[in-house]
């Protein structure tokens, strides 16, 4: 989770939030999605599918949910899990199977990799926390090999007939769950606000196409509050 959306003071504050929530991040993701988060991470890894002996970069890896799914799916794939938060990475390294992943603290706006280094890039809840969405996606395009795929798991602003109900649920239930499950209402109040303020899948898809990605698509999840997007770098 990179935090470049914010001025330096706010950036440090939000970075502190992610450091603080690392210990109950997985539990909250499971509770907030009624257990669906694990399946979404599995779907992201399957859609990325870099092929045998390929290389996959999982950005905003957090505690490693997508990276570990990718490593389990094909043990021949070299998986790198990168995140801004040292505490998230520390938690990731304690999980079963963590030895199959290379864990790296890195900034998604300035990736420490050469051009065309990876066959696939995945990410979970990164884009809503960055200021320069296009710049971050350009970095992913840069490190992808021709023909490589990017697969994105993100929150999605609600729309349609369910919009008022979903907005109420996100504004009220998410901070309440933060208080009950994690005893931390304030951190999840931030996550609630960033969810509702994030761009639509249509907007993100347009940015991907503008950068040069092709075969862009997406599928909404969980009453339209989450979305998986995918795209390919031309071969």
């Amino acid at each position: 989770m990179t935090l470049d959306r914010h001025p330096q003071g706010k950036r440090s504050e939000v970075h502190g939030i992610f450091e603080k929530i690392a210990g109950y991040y997985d539990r909250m993701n499971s509770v907030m999605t009624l257990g669906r988060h694990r399946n979404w991470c599995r779907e992201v890894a399957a859609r990325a599918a870099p092929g045998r002996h390929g290389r996959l970069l999982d950005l905003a890896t957090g505690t490693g949910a997508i990276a570990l799914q990718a490593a389990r799916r094909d043990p021949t794939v070299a998986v790198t899990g990168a995140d801004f938060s040292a505490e998230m990475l520390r938690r990731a390294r304690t999980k079963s199977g963590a030895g199959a992943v290379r864990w790296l603290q890195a900034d998604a706006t300035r990736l420490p990799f050469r051009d065309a280094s990876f066959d696939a890039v995945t990410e979970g809840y990164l884009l809503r926390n960055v200021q320069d969405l296009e710049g971050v996606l350009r970095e992913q395009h840069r490190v992808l090999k021709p023909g490589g795929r990017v697969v994105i798991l993100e929150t999605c602003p609600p729309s349609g007939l369910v919009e008022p109900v979903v907005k109420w649920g996100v504004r009220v239930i998410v901070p309440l769950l933060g208080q009950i499950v994690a005893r931390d209402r304030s951190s999840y109040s931030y996550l609630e606000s960033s969810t509702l303020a994030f761009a639509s899948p249509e907007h993100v898809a347009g940015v991907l196409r503008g950068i040069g990605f092709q075969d862009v698509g997406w599928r909404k999840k969980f009453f339209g509050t989450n979305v998986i997007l995918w795209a390919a770098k031309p071969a």
Side-chain angles (χ1 to χ4, degrees):
M1 296 161 190
T2 113
L3 309 169
D4 297 284
R5 178 172 186 165
H6 308 274
Q8 188 61 40
K10 184 65 174 178
R11 185 174 186 266
S12 298
E13 177 186 345
V14 179
H15 176 258
I17 288 174
F18 286 116
E19 292 280 283
K20 182 169 64 170
I21 68 176
Y24 44 82
Y25 185 68
D26 291 334
R27 189 182 351 150
M28 280 295 294
N29 279 343
S30 180
V31 170
M32 289 189 299
T33 65
L34 300 181
R36 291 169 171 81
H37 182 257
R38 182 187 295 270
N39 291 335
W40 300 342
C41 293
R42 188 179 295 117
E43 181 178 340
V44 169
R47 286 187 178 277
R52 288 183 61 79
H53 304 289
R55 299 187 69 207
L56 180 145
L57 172 64
D58 181 44
L59 292 172
T61 196
T63 55
I66 295 173
L68 290 168
Q69 288 288 354
R72 293 183 191 116
R73 187 178 185 279
D74 186 348
T76 72
V77 172
V79 179
T80 298
D83 200 283
F84 187 87
S85 167
E87 182 61 19
M88 287 284 189
L89 292 170
R90 188 185 73 78
R91 299 275 177 173
R93 291 185 179 101
T94 67
K95 290 190 171 182
S96 175
V101 178
R102 177 195 177 200
W103 306 103
L104 179 70
Q105 190 171 11
D107 186 338
T109 66
R110 294 180 295 277
L111 295 174
F113 307 110
R114 295 179 179 176
D115 295 358
S117 293
F118 295 95
D119 300 281
V121 173
T122 58
E123 61 186 71
Y125 306 120
L126 165 66
L127 298 180
R128 67 177 181 174
N129 291 306
V130 301
Q131 181 178 14
D132 185 4
L133 180 133
E134 181 178 340
V136 167
L137 291 174
R138 282 191 183 280
E139 270 292 270
Q140 295 173 35
H141 188 275
R142 178 184 68 79
V143 301
L144 272 173
K145 296 178 182 178
R149 281 167 285 189
V150 59
V151 187
I152 299 163
L153 173 61
E154 257 301 345
T155 55
C156 182
S159 60
L161 294 176
V162 300
E163 180 178 355
V165 176
V166 172
K167 279 187 173 180
W168 175 86
V170 172
R171 285 175 174 147
V172 175
I173 301 300
V174 171
L176 181 60
L177 286 174
Q179 177 64 37
I180 295 171
V181 176
R183 299 186 185 278
D184 184 358
R185 188 182 188 93
S186 61
S187 294
Y188 281 88
S189 293
Y190 161 74
L191 296 180
E192 164 259 315
S193 62
S194 65
T195 296
L196 294 177
F198 187 58
S200 67
E202 290 84 356
H203 177 79
V204 178
V207 174
L208 287 165
R209 293 189 187 99
I211 290 168
F213 283 102
Q214 60 185 22
D215 301 328
V216 181
W218 68 85
R219 178 174 294 172
K220 291 184 179 182
K221 305 286 184 180
F222 201 48
F223 308 107
T225 59
N226 285 255
V227 64
I228 295 175
L229 301 102
W230 56 86
K233 183 175 180 177

